[in-house]
Amino acid sequence: MRDELHLMELVDRYLDGVLDAAGATEFSARLSGSAELRLLVDDQRALREGLQRLPVRTAIMQAHRSWSWAKWGPQFGGAVVVAGLITGGVWYAQRTGHTEHEASPPQEQLAPLPVDSAQADSVHVDSVLIFGPPVKEAGDTTVIHQNEGVDAVRQHRADTILVLAPSGKKMRFVKDASGPGRDGSTSAPPDPAAPTVAPIDRQPSYPGGFAAMYAYLKANVYYPVNDTNQGTVTIGFDISERGAVVDPKVVESLDAACDAEALRVIRAMPRWTPAQSRGQWVPSHIEVPLQFKAKQPKGAPEKIN
Amino acid sequence: MQDQEVIALIGQGKDQAAFKALYAHFPKVERLVRANSGTKADAKDVFQDALVIFHRRVRGADFTLTSSTSTFLYAICRNLWREELRKRNKVLTGWDAPETADEPADLTAMVAREGEFKQAEKALHSLGDKCLDLLKRFYLAKEPLMQIAQALGLAGEGAAKTRKYKCLEEARKRYRALAERDLVSNPQHA
């Protein structure tokens, strides 16, 4: 297997044109000596070209559709339909909370965001965030409800706070006494390792919105074979400041097989746009319920998956 | 839209806008195909294949516009359709398509490879979603294997590499199968 893998990489490098002079010469020599290798390279060239064409085809189909509309639209009262589509589109966009101005972090570095301090004042406690994972053990806990506001969280004496989110979930957070307090008081020198409470100005988001996330989960969940359990598994996980899904854990369990499957799909999610707070990308915590309904196990596919 | 503008759009990756502008040339192609035993659907297929060839040409190395895009597209379509008719074993009586002087030199070669690439596309589409997703991530999005492994829930880079190999092998197998079938039904002239 190792030899085949190595050859696959070599062919790709050859086709990319990144082999050095010596390597290229050697590979050309091998090619002229082996019809089988020539066939392999030709096939790989064709497959790579085929892949490159997939997005091009999509763009062509879209262009065809819009050209057809431009041609035939007026004749079929297209204006009415288009208006309906636009309204529907706006309504849908508002529902999923997807905004045009969402900055997405580039692959390697996340650029600093422009600071908008005006937003910081009016944050509800369900936006409370912790720099660091939520604490599982109970300390001296007090329940704070969502309408009490971030100030209430900051000024509370308790070290550990239980926050009641709109969904009804309770999440425990450790409060850092040296966090940015409204009254300006700080008790101890700030410990960089300790978690702090700060308002989230924008919640983390899945690329395409929550509708897209549920579509992704639905498309990728493989119901455990012979499992007829119905119910919900809730997975809690952190979204790092780079948007990666970190440390998914089962918050609400159904059974071992469904739990494991739920963890798998959550772990496999693509990068999110991280939460924003005060002009920074910050880590945050999310909980997602997944519904398992009794289903036939996916039939033996003709396709390789 | 001027030819140079369309080419600039393709260079900027604004493919859909470029194609929409190029669709202005479709009526002429439709007339050509329908005048030569083709249907409206045939015309659409031929034209879209020509658009793909044009796009790949522009994005390829050393592209210079030697003739107008209109001539280029028309010439490709004419060749593609003639090739298609040959495959369908239709006799070319009264081939009604004017040839012009300024056509790209390697037109025949381009059209010949076209069939292979279409088969490659077909083979790729027949793969399962997970395989196709992996290959797209690696070859189109150029994601590193580690990232692909994480995204797909694989153990690590090695697992991703092995999975990629298996998917490629499966794609190749299907591609070969399509190519063989094509050879049998369309014996190439010596």
Short mmCIF file of all heavy atoms in Angstrom, two decimals, chain B residues 24-68:
data_model
loop_
_atom_site.label_atom_id
_atom_site.label_comp_id
_atom_site.label_asym_id
_atom_site.label_seq_id
_atom_site.Cartn_x
_atom_site.Cartn_y
_atom_site.Cartn_z
N ALA B 24 -24.71 34.95 -25.43
CA ALA B 24 -25.16 35.72 -26.59
C ALA B 24 -24.87 34.96 -27.89
O ALA B 24 -25.55 35.14 -28.89
CB ALA B 24 -24.47 37.07 -26.62
N HIS B 25 -23.86 34.10 -27.85
CA HIS B 25 -23.49 33.36 -29.06
C HIS B 25 -24.29 32.08 -29.24
O HIS B 25 -24.10 31.36 -30.23
CB HIS B 25 -21.99 32.99 -29.00
CG HIS B 25 -21.10 34.18 -28.82
ND1 HIS B 25 -21.04 35.21 -29.73
CD2 HIS B 25 -20.26 34.52 -27.82
CE1 HIS B 25 -20.19 36.12 -29.30
NE2 HIS B 25 -19.70 35.74 -28.15
N PHE B 26 -25.16 31.78 -28.30
CA PHE B 26 -25.89 30.51 -28.35
C PHE B 26 -26.83 30.39 -29.55
O PHE B 26 -26.88 29.33 -30.19
CB PHE B 26 -26.63 30.28 -27.03
CG PHE B 26 -27.42 29.00 -26.99
CD1 PHE B 26 -26.80 27.78 -27.25
CD2 PHE B 26 -28.77 29.00 -26.72
CE1 PHE B 26 -27.53 26.60 -27.23
CE2 PHE B 26 -29.50 27.82 -26.68
CZ PHE B 26 -28.89 26.61 -26.94
N PRO B 27 -27.59 31.41 -29.89
CA PRO B 27 -28.55 31.27 -31.00
C PRO B 27 -27.88 30.78 -32.29
O PRO B 27 -28.44 29.92 -32.98
CB PRO B 27 -29.12 32.67 -31.16
CG PRO B 27 -28.98 33.28 -29.82
CD PRO B 27 -27.73 32.73 -29.25
N LYS B 28 -26.69 31.29 -32.57
CA LYS B 28 -26.00 30.88 -33.79
C LYS B 28 -25.67 29.38 -33.73
O LYS B 28 -25.82 28.65 -34.72
CB LYS B 28 -24.73 31.71 -33.94
CG LYS B 28 -24.09 31.67 -35.29
CD LYS B 28 -23.00 32.74 -35.41
CE LYS B 28 -22.12 32.46 -36.61
NZ LYS B 28 -20.76 33.00 -36.42
N VAL B 29 -25.21 28.95 -32.56
CA VAL B 29 -24.87 27.53 -32.39
C VAL B 29 -26.13 26.67 -32.49
O VAL B 29 -26.12 25.60 -33.12
CB VAL B 29 -24.18 27.32 -31.02
CG1 VAL B 29 -24.09 25.84 -30.67
CG2 VAL B 29 -22.80 27.95 -31.03
N GLU B 30 -27.20 27.16 -31.90
CA GLU B 30 -28.45 26.40 -31.94
C GLU B 30 -28.89 26.20 -33.39
O GLU B 30 -29.30 25.11 -33.79
CB GLU B 30 -29.52 27.16 -31.15
CG GLU B 30 -30.71 26.28 -30.81
CD GLU B 30 -31.79 27.02 -30.03
OE1 GLU B 30 -31.58 28.21 -29.68
OE2 GLU B 30 -32.83 26.41 -29.79
N ARG B 31 -28.75 27.26 -34.19
CA ARG B 31 -29.12 27.15 -35.60
C ARG B 31 -28.25 26.10 -36.29
O ARG B 31 -28.74 25.28 -37.06
CB ARG B 31 -28.96 28.50 -36.30
CG ARG B 31 -30.15 29.43 -36.10
CD ARG B 31 -30.13 30.55 -37.13
NE ARG B 31 -28.96 31.40 -36.99
CZ ARG B 31 -28.86 32.42 -36.14
NH1 ARG B 31 -29.90 32.71 -35.35
NH2 ARG B 31 -27.78 33.15 -36.09
N LEU B 32 -26.96 26.13 -36.00
CA LEU B 32 -26.03 25.17 -36.60
C LEU B 32 -26.43 23.74 -36.29
O LEU B 32 -26.52 22.88 -37.18
CB LEU B 32 -24.61 25.44 -36.09
CG LEU B 32 -23.59 24.30 -36.27
CD1 LEU B 32 -23.23 24.14 -37.73
CD2 LEU B 32 -22.36 24.54 -35.43
N VAL B 33 -26.68 23.46 -35.02
CA VAL B 33 -26.97 22.09 -34.61
C VAL B 33 -28.29 21.62 -35.17
O VAL B 33 -28.42 20.49 -35.69
CB VAL B 33 -26.95 21.98 -33.06
CG1 VAL B 33 -27.47 20.64 -32.60
CG2 VAL B 33 -25.56 22.24 -32.53
N ARG B 34 -29.30 22.51 -35.10
CA ARG B 34 -30.63 22.09 -35.57
C ARG B 34 -30.66 21.92 -37.07
O ARG B 34 -31.43 21.11 -37.60
CB ARG B 34 -31.67 23.11 -35.12
CG ARG B 34 -31.86 23.07 -33.61
CD ARG B 34 -32.87 24.06 -33.15
NE ARG B 34 -34.18 23.44 -33.07
CZ ARG B 34 -35.19 23.93 -32.38
NH1 ARG B 34 -35.04 25.06 -31.73
NH2 ARG B 34 -36.34 23.31 -32.35
N ALA B 35 -29.81 22.67 -37.77
CA ALA B 35 -29.74 22.52 -39.23
C ALA B 35 -29.05 21.22 -39.62
O ALA B 35 -29.06 20.81 -40.78
CB ALA B 35 -28.99 23.70 -39.83
N ASN B 36 -28.42 20.57 -38.63
CA ASN B 36 -27.67 19.34 -38.93
C ASN B 36 -28.13 18.20 -38.04
O ASN B 36 -27.34 17.61 -37.30
CB ASN B 36 -26.17 19.60 -38.76
CG ASN B 36 -25.63 20.50 -39.85
OD1 ASN B 36 -25.46 20.09 -40.99
ND2 ASN B 36 -25.39 21.76 -39.51
N SER B 37 -29.38 17.88 -38.10
CA SER B 37 -30.00 16.74 -37.41
C SER B 37 -29.96 16.80 -35.90
O SER B 37 -30.02 15.76 -35.24
CB SER B 37 -29.36 15.40 -37.82
OG SER B 37 -28.84 15.44 -39.10
N GLY B 38 -29.85 18.00 -35.33
CA GLY B 38 -29.78 18.06 -33.88
C GLY B 38 -31.03 18.63 -33.26
O GLY B 38 -31.80 19.33 -33.91
N THR B 39 -31.23 18.35 -31.99
CA THR B 39 -32.37 18.92 -31.28
C THR B 39 -31.90 20.12 -30.45
O THR B 39 -30.71 20.40 -30.36
CB THR B 39 -32.98 17.89 -30.31
OG1 THR B 39 -31.99 17.58 -29.31
CG2 THR B 39 -33.39 16.64 -31.04
N LYS B 40 -32.88 20.77 -29.82
CA LYS B 40 -32.56 21.91 -28.96
C LYS B 40 -31.68 21.46 -27.79
O LYS B 40 -30.72 22.15 -27.41
CB LYS B 40 -33.87 22.48 -28.42
CG LYS B 40 -33.79 23.90 -28.02
CD LYS B 40 -35.20 24.47 -27.86
CE LYS B 40 -35.17 25.60 -26.85
NZ LYS B 40 -36.50 26.03 -26.45
N ALA B 41 -31.98 20.26 -27.28
CA ALA B 41 -31.19 19.74 -26.17
C ALA B 41 -29.75 19.46 -26.60
O ALA B 41 -28.80 19.73 -25.88
CB ALA B 41 -31.83 18.48 -25.61
N ASP B 42 -29.60 18.91 -27.81
CA ASP B 42 -28.27 18.67 -28.36
C ASP B 42 -27.49 19.98 -28.43
O ASP B 42 -26.31 20.04 -28.07
CB ASP B 42 -28.36 18.08 -29.78
CG ASP B 42 -28.88 16.66 -29.78
OD1 ASP B 42 -28.63 15.95 -28.79
OD2 ASP B 42 -29.53 16.27 -30.77
N ALA B 43 -28.16 21.03 -28.92
CA ALA B 43 -27.50 22.32 -29.05
C ALA B 43 -27.02 22.81 -27.69
O ALA B 43 -25.90 23.32 -27.55
CB ALA B 43 -28.46 23.33 -29.67
N LYS B 44 -27.89 22.65 -26.67
CA LYS B 44 -27.53 23.10 -25.34
C LYS B 44 -26.30 22.34 -24.84
O LYS B 44 -25.35 22.95 -24.34
CB LYS B 44 -28.71 22.87 -24.40
CG LYS B 44 -28.42 23.24 -22.98
CD LYS B 44 -29.66 23.08 -22.11
CE LYS B 44 -29.25 22.70 -20.70
NZ LYS B 44 -29.81 21.54 -20.15
N ASP B 45 -26.28 21.03 -25.01
CA ASP B 45 -25.14 20.23 -24.56
C ASP B 45 -23.86 20.64 -25.26
O ASP B 45 -22.82 20.85 -24.63
CB ASP B 45 -25.39 18.73 -24.82
CG ASP B 45 -26.42 18.17 -23.87
OD1 ASP B 45 -26.65 18.80 -22.82
OD2 ASP B 45 -26.98 17.10 -24.17
N VAL B 46 -23.94 20.75 -26.57
CA VAL B 46 -22.76 21.10 -27.36
C VAL B 46 -22.23 22.47 -26.93
O VAL B 46 -21.02 22.66 -26.72
CB VAL B 46 -23.11 21.10 -28.87
CG1 VAL B 46 -22.08 21.87 -29.65
CG2 VAL B 46 -23.23 19.68 -29.38
N PHE B 47 -23.14 23.43 -26.79
CA PHE B 47 -22.72 24.78 -26.43
C PHE B 47 -22.06 24.79 -25.06
O PHE B 47 -21.02 25.44 -24.85
CB PHE B 47 -23.92 25.72 -26.46
CG PHE B 47 -23.55 27.16 -26.27
CD1 PHE B 47 -22.83 27.83 -27.24
CD2 PHE B 47 -23.90 27.84 -25.12
CE1 PHE B 47 -22.47 29.17 -27.08
CE2 PHE B 47 -23.55 29.17 -24.93
CZ PHE B 47 -22.83 29.84 -25.93
N GLN B 48 -22.66 24.06 -24.11
CA GLN B 48 -22.10 24.07 -22.75
C GLN B 48 -20.74 23.38 -22.72
O GLN B 48 -19.83 23.83 -22.02
CB GLN B 48 -23.09 23.42 -21.78
CG GLN B 48 -24.31 24.29 -21.58
CD GLN B 48 -25.20 23.83 -20.44
OE1 GLN B 48 -25.02 22.75 -19.89
NE2 GLN B 48 -26.19 24.65 -20.10
N ASP B 49 -20.59 22.32 -23.51
CA ASP B 49 -19.26 21.69 -23.59
C ASP B 49 -18.25 22.67 -24.15
O ASP B 49 -17.10 22.71 -23.72
CB ASP B 49 -19.32 20.44 -24.49
CG ASP B 49 -20.04 19.29 -23.81
OD1 ASP B 49 -20.28 19.38 -22.59
OD2 ASP B 49 -20.36 18.30 -24.49
N ALA B 50 -18.68 23.44 -25.15
CA ALA B 50 -17.77 24.41 -25.76
C ALA B 50 -17.38 25.49 -24.74
O ALA B 50 -16.22 25.94 -24.70
CB ALA B 50 -18.42 25.05 -26.98
N LEU B 51 -18.33 25.89 -23.91
CA LEU B 51 -18.03 26.89 -22.89
C LEU B 51 -16.97 26.36 -21.92
O LEU B 51 -16.07 27.09 -21.51
CB LEU B 51 -19.29 27.26 -22.11
CG LEU B 51 -20.31 28.14 -22.83
CD1 LEU B 51 -21.53 28.38 -21.93
CD2 LEU B 51 -19.71 29.48 -23.21
N VAL B 52 -17.11 25.09 -21.55
CA VAL B 52 -16.12 24.49 -20.64
C VAL B 52 -14.74 24.52 -21.29
O VAL B 52 -13.75 24.92 -20.68
CB VAL B 52 -16.50 23.04 -20.28
CG1 VAL B 52 -15.37 22.38 -19.51
CG2 VAL B 52 -17.76 23.01 -19.46
N ILE B 53 -14.68 24.11 -22.57
CA ILE B 53 -13.39 24.10 -23.27
C ILE B 53 -12.81 25.51 -23.31
O ILE B 53 -11.61 25.72 -23.06
CB ILE B 53 -13.55 23.57 -24.71
CG1 ILE B 53 -13.98 22.11 -24.69
CG2 ILE B 53 -12.25 23.72 -25.50
CD1 ILE B 53 -14.19 21.51 -26.06
N PHE B 54 -13.65 26.48 -23.63
CA PHE B 54 -13.20 27.86 -23.69
C PHE B 54 -12.64 28.30 -22.35
O PHE B 54 -11.55 28.89 -22.27
CB PHE B 54 -14.37 28.76 -24.10
CG PHE B 54 -14.00 30.21 -24.21
CD1 PHE B 54 -13.22 30.65 -25.26
CD2 PHE B 54 -14.43 31.13 -23.27
CE1 PHE B 54 -12.86 32.00 -25.37
CE2 PHE B 54 -14.09 32.47 -23.37
CZ PHE B 54 -13.30 32.89 -24.42
N HIS B 55 -13.38 27.99 -21.31
CA HIS B 55 -12.96 28.39 -19.96
C HIS B 55 -11.61 27.79 -19.60
O HIS B 55 -10.70 28.48 -19.13
CB HIS B 55 -14.02 27.93 -18.95
CG HIS B 55 -13.71 28.29 -17.53
ND1 HIS B 55 -12.89 27.54 -16.72
CD2 HIS B 55 -14.10 29.34 -16.78
CE1 HIS B 55 -12.80 28.11 -15.54
NE2 HIS B 55 -13.53 29.20 -15.54
N ARG B 56 -11.47 26.49 -19.87
CA ARG B 56 -10.22 25.81 -19.49
C ARG B 56 -9.06 26.35 -20.32
O ARG B 56 -7.94 26.45 -19.83
CB ARG B 56 -10.37 24.29 -19.71
CG ARG B 56 -11.49 23.65 -18.91
CD ARG B 56 -11.40 23.91 -17.43
NE ARG B 56 -10.25 23.23 -16.84
CZ ARG B 56 -9.55 23.69 -15.82
NH1 ARG B 56 -9.87 24.84 -15.26
NH2 ARG B 56 -8.54 23.02 -15.35
N ARG B 57 -9.36 26.72 -21.56
CA ARG B 57 -8.33 27.30 -22.42
C ARG B 57 -7.84 28.62 -21.85
O ARG B 57 -6.63 28.86 -21.75
CB ARG B 57 -8.93 27.53 -23.80
CG ARG B 57 -7.93 27.65 -24.90
CD ARG B 57 -7.84 26.37 -25.69
NE ARG B 57 -6.57 26.20 -26.36
CZ ARG B 57 -6.20 26.85 -27.45
NH1 ARG B 57 -6.94 27.79 -27.95
NH2 ARG B 57 -5.06 26.56 -28.03
N VAL B 58 -8.80 29.46 -21.50
CA VAL B 58 -8.44 30.78 -20.98
C VAL B 58 -7.62 30.66 -19.70
O VAL B 58 -6.66 31.39 -19.48
CB VAL B 58 -9.72 31.62 -20.73
CG1 VAL B 58 -9.40 32.88 -19.95
CG2 VAL B 58 -10.39 31.97 -22.04
N ARG B 59 -8.04 29.70 -18.84
CA ARG B 59 -7.35 29.54 -17.57
C ARG B 59 -6.02 28.82 -17.73
O ARG B 59 -5.22 28.77 -16.80
CB ARG B 59 -8.22 28.74 -16.58
CG ARG B 59 -9.49 29.42 -16.19
CD ARG B 59 -9.24 30.59 -15.33
NE ARG B 59 -8.68 30.20 -14.06
CZ ARG B 59 -9.00 30.75 -12.89
NH1 ARG B 59 -9.88 31.71 -12.85
NH2 ARG B 59 -8.44 30.35 -11.80
N GLY B 60 -5.81 28.19 -18.88
CA GLY B 60 -4.58 27.45 -19.06
C GLY B 60 -3.41 28.39 -19.28
O GLY B 60 -3.55 29.61 -19.37
N ALA B 61 -2.23 27.82 -19.36
CA ALA B 61 -1.04 28.64 -19.52
C ALA B 61 -0.98 29.22 -20.93
O ALA B 61 -1.51 28.64 -21.87
CB ALA B 61 0.20 27.79 -19.25
N ASP B 62 -0.36 30.34 -21.07
CA ASP B 62 -0.07 30.95 -22.38
C ASP B 62 -1.30 31.15 -23.24
O ASP B 62 -1.29 30.84 -24.43
CB ASP B 62 0.90 30.06 -23.20
CG ASP B 62 2.11 29.68 -22.39
OD1 ASP B 62 2.55 30.54 -21.60
OD2 ASP B 62 2.59 28.55 -22.52
N PHE B 63 -2.35 31.64 -22.67
CA PHE B 63 -3.53 31.86 -23.51
C PHE B 63 -3.45 33.22 -24.19
O PHE B 63 -3.26 34.24 -23.54
CB PHE B 63 -4.81 31.77 -22.70
CG PHE B 63 -6.03 32.18 -23.47
CD1 PHE B 63 -6.55 31.33 -24.44
CD2 PHE B 63 -6.62 33.42 -23.28
CE1 PHE B 63 -7.66 31.71 -25.17
CE2 PHE B 63 -7.73 33.80 -24.01
CZ PHE B 63 -8.25 32.94 -24.96
N THR B 64 -3.57 33.21 -25.50
CA THR B 64 -3.73 34.48 -26.21
C THR B 64 -4.90 34.33 -27.17
O THR B 64 -5.09 33.29 -27.78
CB THR B 64 -2.46 34.83 -27.02
OG1 THR B 64 -2.02 33.65 -27.69
CG2 THR B 64 -1.37 35.37 -26.14
N LEU B 65 -5.65 35.37 -27.30
CA LEU B 65 -6.83 35.32 -28.16
C LEU B 65 -6.41 35.54 -29.60
O LEU B 65 -5.98 36.63 -29.98
CB LEU B 65 -7.81 36.40 -27.70
CG LEU B 65 -9.20 36.33 -28.34
CD1 LEU B 65 -9.88 35.04 -27.93
CD2 LEU B 65 -10.02 37.52 -27.90
N THR B 66 -6.49 34.49 -30.39
CA THR B 66 -6.08 34.65 -31.79
C THR B 66 -7.26 34.96 -32.69
O THR B 66 -7.13 35.62 -33.70
CB THR B 66 -5.39 33.37 -32.29
OG1 THR B 66 -6.22 32.26 -31.94
CG2 THR B 66 -4.03 33.20 -31.66
N SER B 67 -8.43 34.44 -32.33
CA SER B 67 -9.62 34.80 -33.11
C SER B 67 -10.65 35.33 -32.13
O SER B 67 -10.46 35.28 -30.93
CB SER B 67 -10.15 33.56 -33.83
OG SER B 67 -10.37 32.53 -32.91
N SER B 68 -11.76 35.81 -32.64
CA SER B 68 -12.79 36.32 -31.73
C SER B 68 -13.40 35.15 -30.98
O SER B 68 -13.39 34.01 -31.45
CB SER B 68 -13.87 37.05 -32.53
OG SER B 68 -14.62 36.11 -33.28
#
